[in-house]
């Protein structure tokens, strides 16, 4: 069934002449159009043009299309959340008062809480329990206008549970409207049973888990938490290089809590992205700009951990392609609100209202190797389209902390209407 969206105040297409992830002033190009309609058919965008032009070019399609009236609203591409720890057991609200009274994230983790607590809960959860819990999270994502989500494993830290997490993500990709793109993150923490024997765990990932992930086709990316007390840059390099040999593209949790030359490492191994980067060095930022590594910034995590924000302004000005994501996970960022995370990026990282839209559509699509399919509204791309209940895009950041999503069209199908899931 074709869909024709009419009367929108603004259509933010995100179109540009630029191929690939956007940098510097390219990040401000919104491809804003007025007095145009958006025509969709099947799973694709057919054309964005004034009504008369659409009628002349596709008369039958326009005549038979379901019409959606977007008077007073704006249209933009579905949001892409390119960094989440989507599939996990349990919650960690009990850690919040600990952190508010001064305990650090790493202290809690080193005492057996944090990632270790969630690992226990995830190991205990059945496939069906994880599936149902995650299905509900994806419903929330959809209501907030997120149409594609990256999902990392990493709360199993043994093969059986890592595999279960990845299989849950795979089933969700087949059954839920939101697209789910998988990343293997066996190197998220060293599990308790390998304490004091960390090298053996690194070897297990390299020689046992990575080949199985590749053989079963369970992930496209391979991620490592390169952090003091977790995985060293040298261990991270080995894990990422081993993943490359199995066709898994490197990603890296870099320079989150202490500077550890993670940004430099990301550039060196040809990672598609480096994530967090709260304390990335000047040299690391320079290396990423040179290598074209996408910086996936997660201001929700800085907010929730009350940590210094990544230097997003400097990264954009230095020519690093910047993406922004929720980092949805039960410990450091339990939110699905990418719109609120956009607000944080404006207020605390000095990014502009235009840049944060690019960082959560085009550049985040490229961070998960989907830049040719999603992230912009243009002929032939996937019909992932939002209608937002604001008269201009600037109100998205001005009326902050709110969900402005009115309608979500996913692959050409209306899945949210009037803010409600259908
Ligand atoms: N820093 C490592 N991993 C996650 C947090 C995981 C957790 O605390 O459960 C992150 O990206 O913030
Ligand atoms: Zn993360």
């Amino acid at each position: 069934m074709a869909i024709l969206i009419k009367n929108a105040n603004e259509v933010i297409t995100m179109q540009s002449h630029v191929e690939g992830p956007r940098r510097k002033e390219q990040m401000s190009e919104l491809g804003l159009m007025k007095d145009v309609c958006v025509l969709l058919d099947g799973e694709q965008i057919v054309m964005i043009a004034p009504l008369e032009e659409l009628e002349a070019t596709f008369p039958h399609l326009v005549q038979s299309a379901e019409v959606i009236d977007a008077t007073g609203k704006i249209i933009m591409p579905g949001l892409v959340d390119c960094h989440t720890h989507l599939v996990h057991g349990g919650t960690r609200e009990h850690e919040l008062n600990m952190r508010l009274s001064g305990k650090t994230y790493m202290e809690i983790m080193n005492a057996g809480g944090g990632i270790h607590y969630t690992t226990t809960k995830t190991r205990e959860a059945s496939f069906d329990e994880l599936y149902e819990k995650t299905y509900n999270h994806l419903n929330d994502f959809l209501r907030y206008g997120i149409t594609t989500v990256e999902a990392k494993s990493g709360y199993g830290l043994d093969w059986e549970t890592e595999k279960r997490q990845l299989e849950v993500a795979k089933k969700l990709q087949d059954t839920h409207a939101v697209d789910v793109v998988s990343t293997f993150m066996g190197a998220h923490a060293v599990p308790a049973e390998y304490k004091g024997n960390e090298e053996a765990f690194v070897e297990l990932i390299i020689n046992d888990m990575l080949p199985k992930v590749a053989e079963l086709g369970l992930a496209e990316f391979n991620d490592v938490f390169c952090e003091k007390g977790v995985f060293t840059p040298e261990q991270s390099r080995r894990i990422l290089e081993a993943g490359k040999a199995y066709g898994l593209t490197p990603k890296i949790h870099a320079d989150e809590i202490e500077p550890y030359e993670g940004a430099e490492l990301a550039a060196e191994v040809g990672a598609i992205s480096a994530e967090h980067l709260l304390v990335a060095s000047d040299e690391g930022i320079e290396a990423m700009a040179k290598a074209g590594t996408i910086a996936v910034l997660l201001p929700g995590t800085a907010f929730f951990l009350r940590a210094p924000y990544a230097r997003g302004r400097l990264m954009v000005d230095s020519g690093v392609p910047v993406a922004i994501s929720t980092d949805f996970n039960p410990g450091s960022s339990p939110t699905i609100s990418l719109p609120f995370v956009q607000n944080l990026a404006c207020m605390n990282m000095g990014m502009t209202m235009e840049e944060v839209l690019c960082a959560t559509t085009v550049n985040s699509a490229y961070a998960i190797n989907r830049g040719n399919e999603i992230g912009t509204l243009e002929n032939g791309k996937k019909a992932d389209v939002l209608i937002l209940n604001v008269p201009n895009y600037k109100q998205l950041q001005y009326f902050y902390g709110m969900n402005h999503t009115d309608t979500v069209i996913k692959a050409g199908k209306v899945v949210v209407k009037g803010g409600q899931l259908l």
Side-chain angles (χ1 to χ4, degrees), residues 83-85 152 185 188 223 253 275-276 298 327 329 332:
H83 178 140
T84 86
H85 302 257
K152 301 176 196 296
M185 198 176 179
H188 195 195
D223 200 339
H253 279 58
E275 338 255 319
H276 284 292
L298 310 163
D327 190 21
N329 75 74
S332 67

Side-chain angles (χ1 to χ4, degrees), residues 78-200:
L79 299 174
V80 179
D81 198 345
C82 64
H83 178 140
T84 86
H85 302 257
L86 183 68
V87 183
H88 58 261
T91 54
R92 304 224 296 269
E93 59 276 20
H94 56 273
E95 287 179 5
L96 191 47
N97 266 340
M98 294 186 197
R99 287 199 294 100
L100 292 174
S101 48
K103 279 229 169 356
T104 68
Y105 176 79
M106 287 309 271
E107 278 167 1
I108 294 170
M109 176 168 162
N110 291 335
I115 294 175
H116 299 299
Y117 178 88
T118 302
T119 298
T120 303
K121 292 289 170 197
T122 308
R123 286 177 178 179
E124 284 168 4
S126 69
F127 181 96
D128 289 344
E129 284 164 347
L130 287 175
Y131 175 78
E132 198 184 324
K133 180 179 192 291
T134 315
Y135 195 97
N136 290 331
H137 290 316
L138 285 179
N139 282 346
D140 290 337
F141 274 108
L142 208 49
R143 285 191 305 104
Y144 277 72
I146 295 111
T147 47
T148 302
V149 167
E150 183 251 17
K152 301 176 196 296
S153 68
Y155 290 121
L157 311 180
D158 60 27
W159 173 241
E160 194 193 322
T161 320
E162 288 292 315
K163 180 166 171 261
R164 189 154 74 246
Q165 281 187 276
L166 293 168
E167 284 176 342
V168 166
K170 194 170 187 179
K171 183 167 173 191
L172 287 162
Q173 163 61 13
D174 294 340
T175 55
H176 198 282
V178 173
D179 276 321
V180 180
V181 176
S182 279
T183 296
F184 171 65
M185 198 176 179
H188 195 195
V190 177
E193 60 273 22
Y194 279 87
K195 206 164 180 208
N197 200 9
E198 288 78 11
E199 259 315 297

Side-chain angles (χ1 to χ4, degrees), residues 69-80:
D69 182 8
T71 301
K73 304 186 174 72
I74 69 164
I75 300 175
M76 69 170 283
L79 299 174
V80 179

